Each structure stands twice: as C-alpha cells, then as structure tokens.
Amino acid sequence: MYSAKAYSAASDTSPLAASAITRRDLTEHDVQIEILFCGICHSDLHSVRNEWSEFMPTVYPIVPGHEIIGRVTKVGSAVTKYKSGDLAAVGCLVDSDRTCPNCQAGLEQFCPNLTLTFNSPDKHLGSVTYGGYSDSIVVDEHFVLSVPSNLDLAGAAPLLCAGITTYSPMRHWGVTKGKKVGVVGLGGLGHMGVKFAHALGSHVVVFTTSPHKKEDALRLGADEVVISRDTNAMQKHAGSFDFILDAVSAEHDINAYLNLLRLDGNLTLVGAVPKPLAVSAFGLIMGRRSLSGSNIGGIPETQEMLDFCGEHNITADVEVIPIQKVNEAYERLLTSDVKYRFTIDMASLNSE
Ligand code: NAP
Ligand code: ZN
C-alpha cells in the first residue's frame, strides 16, 4: 500500500479538502496511473451531498471523480495492454464480476457486482473505492482505456463519463443521419450529447432553461434551440422527435418532452434526479412512445466512443480549474454556471 494525495469530503455538509488516502500495491493485472486531469460530474456533487441516499448511500470520507486521464507509471507483471509512460483513462467502473451475462456482453455497467470508481466496496482494501480527485490511482487493466493521441487531455477527461453516457444511448436508439434528436439540459452531459448527435448526422434541437446558452448551443452543433419555459415554442415541435436525451440534474416536467416524440419515439433519461418524476400515461400511450434510462456504458463501448472522438476530434468544452476551486465549482454547477464541464488540473494538488 502507498499513500496518495486526494481531496475528500468528511460529511454531506463538509467542503472537499486536502487529505491523504491509501492506494493498493499493484497486483499482476493492475495499472498505476498518475492522474493529470479529472472532470467534475454532477454525480460527484449528488454523491458528496448524499442526494442519492435511497439508492447508493455515501460512505464518508468520499473522494469523488470518475473522469480520469493520466499517464501510466507502473504496471503489474501480467499487464499486456499498457506500459509505463502511456496515456490512459479511467471512467466510472473499476471492476465487475466478469462472468455474468452482462459482463460477457461487454455491458459491465449492468453487472450486479460492479465496482464503481468511488463509493463502492473496495475488494482489495476493505473500505470504499476512492475516485479521481487524487494524484494517483491503481486499476485493473481491463477497466483502463486508451486515449487517442490527438485529443486535448483536459477536454478528453469528461469523455469518460459525460461522453460515454450520451454516446451509448444514442447508439442504442439508432441516432443517425436524418433523425430528429432533442437534447434537454445544456450542461456537461448535454453539451456532449449535442456534439455526438451532430457528428452522427442528425438534426439536433437543444432544450434549455438558460436563454444565454443559445449561441453556444448552435456553435456546439445544434440546428435549433428552444427555450423550454416557452410553451408555444415547445408546442411547435409536438409529435416530431425520433429520440430525446434528457440530461437534466434536477426535478422537471418530462411530460412536456414525451409529447414531442413522434410515433415509436423514445425519451431516454440519463439525468439522475434524486426524486421520482411524474409520468402521464397518455404521453406514452398516444404514439406508442417509450421512456427509458441509460447508465454510462460498458468498457468496449467506452473505447469505441474514445476512438470515435479521436477520429472526429471531439472533446468537451472545459473550464480548467485548480483543485482548490472545487467547492466553488460545485456551487456554480448548482446555478448551471459552467461552460460546459469543469476539469481539475491535478498538478494543483502538488501545492497541498
Ligand atoms: P450539469 O453539468 O450540472 O448539467 C445539468 C443541466 O441541467 C444544467 O446545465 C441545466 O441546463 C439543466 N438544469 C439544471 N437544473 C434544472 C432545473 N431545475 N430545471 C430544468 N433544467 C435544469 O450536470 P451533468 O454533469 O451534465 O449531469 C446531469 C445529470 O446526469 C446529473 O443528474 C448526473 O448525476 C446525471 N448523470 C447520469 C449518468 C448516467 O449514467 N445515467 C452519468 C453521469 C451523470 P440548461 O441551463 O440548459 O437548462
Ligand atoms: Zn459522471
């Protein structure tokens, strides 16, 4: 075991602060990574503040962070895919049972025994896993991803969660050229959704509560922008969407979006709103519409997404911050004041 620097929260009301954590010594299949950048996902905030207490209660202290980009510093004796000095990435998953049907299908995110990057029971050290707000992490090579060399590293970090979480449902629901696709909420996930839907050739409409984001939405690849509080503007799109991705982090009316779907259209929720959302039966019955959810993506698809980003030169639009500004960044997330993902430059941890 060795000591690593990190930022952790001691309770649901404590700010994140510098701390020391323990990382395991490498097993033969492990890769040790020096973390260069880590994105800030709204899930970090939900977890730090224990907002998902019903589904996955937070164990304190918590070290969040699951959008990790770094450089390999050491590998175990049986590691074949990585060597010291390689760029490497880690997303939301660091282990699974590898034997269940979902794992066999490369859908590790649906394994009943998955280990998340933070706040999951740690099979090696006994407590819980600690995430990427740290200078170093040790991960089984199966859960380590390769980063295309042409991508900006700070902008690539958010691909590991915001990227795959929006890419995966779009692939699943057949977002392609000629489809009309809505993206609800222009935050970290939403802005990646816009980039992917555009790159996949669809007609993209952004729904936002923030009128000042209109120009950015168009620059990011949207064909149209609708201010979602404008009922008339919403009504103009009734019954017309093939697919809508809802990436909103707080309570909102999803029926307004179900009504915009065409026959057999699908609305996929990726926003993990802590409280249940009300669904009108008629919104689904009329038009044989469906409502579904989606959870990040499996390891093979995450690599596919990174390679797709390499080919299309897609990264997140990031505001790079030192770790000392992380608490301020959380407050700004709550007022939708981020363009469009915070990424922590982990070199800032050296001054702690
Ligand atoms: P984010 O950057 O904070 O973006 C959320 C966006 O939602 C905001 O920018 C805002 O967009 C909109 N919004 C916020 N409050 C709203 C309200 N009261 N009513 C309507 N719209 C509102 O968050 P994120 O990191 O993209 O994450 C979004 C959600 O996805 C979170 O709940 C997160 O936990 C979840 N998530 C799920 C998965 C998964 O696997 N399913 C993975 C990662 C994250 P506008 O300003 O454009 O309205
Ligand atoms: Zn995330």
Side-chain angles (χ1 to χ4, degrees):
M1 290 191 299
Y2 68 101
S3 177
K5 288 184 172 182
Y7 251 53
S8 66
S11 77
D12 59 356
T13 52
S14 308
L16 289 147
S19 63
I21 56 167
T22 300
R23 297 291 192 191
R24 67 175 181 265
D25 290 328
L26 275 68
T27 69
E28 56 181 352
H29 294 290
D30 280 340
V31 174
Q32 184 191 53
I33 298 166
E34 176 199 2
I35 301 175
L36 301 175
F37 294 99
C38 184
I40 297 181
C41 179
H42 207 114
S43 303
D44 300 351
L45 189 157
H46 287 308
S47 300
V48 163
R49 303 199 174 168
N50 205 11
E51 291 172 359
W52 293 336
S53 55
E54 250 181 83
F55 317 100
M56 37 174 89
T58 302
V59 176
Y60 295 95
I62 177 174
V63 177
H66 55 207
E67 295 185 335
I68 298 168
I69 294 270
R71 212 167 267 291
V72 175
T73 41
K74 220 193 269 183
V75 296
S77 57
V79 168
T80 57
K81 286 195 299 182
Y82 300 95
K83 60 180 187 321
S84 191
D86 286 350
L87 282 176
V90 178
C92 304
L93 303 170
V94 290
D95 207 356
S96 67
D97 63 25
R98 323 266 192 101
T99 54
C100 75
N102 297 343
C103 283
Q104 297 288 311
L107 298 169
E108 296 91 344
Q109 77 273 32
F110 301 119
C111 172
N113 301 305
L114 63 82
T115 304
L116 295 169
T117 305
F118 62 83
N119 197 41
S120 263
D122 186 331
K123 288 180 198 162
H124 299 265
L125 298 179
S127 57
V128 286
T129 50
Y130 294 134
Y133 296 8
S134 173
D135 57 1
S136 168
I137 193 166
V138 176
V139 179
D140 186 299
E141 74 164 329
H142 180 81
F143 294 87
V144 177
L145 288 308
S146 296
V147 185
S149 58
N150 58 318
L151 297 182
D152 169 67
L153 297 185
L159 300 177
L160 277 302
C161 176
I164 185 59
T165 302
T166 51
Y167 180 86
S168 180
M170 287 194 183
R171 297 304 297 229
H172 181 79
W173 289 98
V175 168
T176 47
K177 199 168 167 51
K179 295 284 168 77
K180 186 172 174 185
V181 171
V183 175
V184 188
L186 198 64
L189 266 58
H191 96 289
M192 288 310 309
V194 172
K195 290 189 184 205
F196 286 133
H198 176 75
L200 292 166
S202 57
H203 181 88
V204 190
V205 182
V206 164
F207 295 93
T208 179
T209 58
S210 309
H212 64 88
K213 292 182 182 173
K214 188 172 176 185
E215 292 309 313
D216 282 343
L218 296 170
R219 175 181 57 77
L220 291 164
D223 297 287
E224 296 177 63
V225 181
V226 173
I227 307 306
S228 50
R229 300 197 205 281
D230 179 345
T231 323
N232 289 334
M234 292 284 284
Q235 200 48 39
K236 284 189 189 138
H237 290 273
S240 67
F241 282 88
D242 297 286
F243 176 76
I244 297 178
L245 185 80
D246 184 331
V248 172
S249 54
E251 265 177 280
H252 60 290
D253 176 22
I254 60 166
N255 300 300
Y257 298 102
L258 288 174
N259 289 332
L260 304 189
L261 294 172
R262 59 186 300 156
L263 178 66
D264 288 328
N266 170 268
L267 184 148
T268 292
L269 275 181
V270 286
V273 181
K275 286 196 189 148
L277 298 168
V279 180
S280 154
F282 284 88
L284 292 173
I285 292 170
M286 303 311 288
R288 201 165 51 193
R289 297 156 173 151
S290 64
L291 168 64
S292 60
S294 191
N295 181 31
I296 46 171
I299 295 299
E301 194 174 43
T302 304
Q303 191 61 61
E304 176 192 309
M305 177 276 310
L306 285 167
D307 296 343
F308 180 89
C309 288
E311 277 159 38
H312 293 82
N313 210 12
I314 293 175
T315 51
D317 284 28
V318 290
E319 179 176 340
V320 180
I321 59 162
I323 190 126
Q324 291 78 8
K325 291 219 162 154
V326 69
N327 295 302
E328 196 182 303
Y330 276 29
E331 292 311 313
R332 287 180 54 194
L333 265 191
L334 288 174
T335 55
S336 304
D337 175 24
V338 48
K339 290 187 169 181
Y340 278 88
R341 197 62 146 183
F342 292 112
T343 295
I344 306 166
D345 180 350
M346 217 43 81
S348 58
L349 205 47
N350 289 331
S351 59
E352 293 290 343

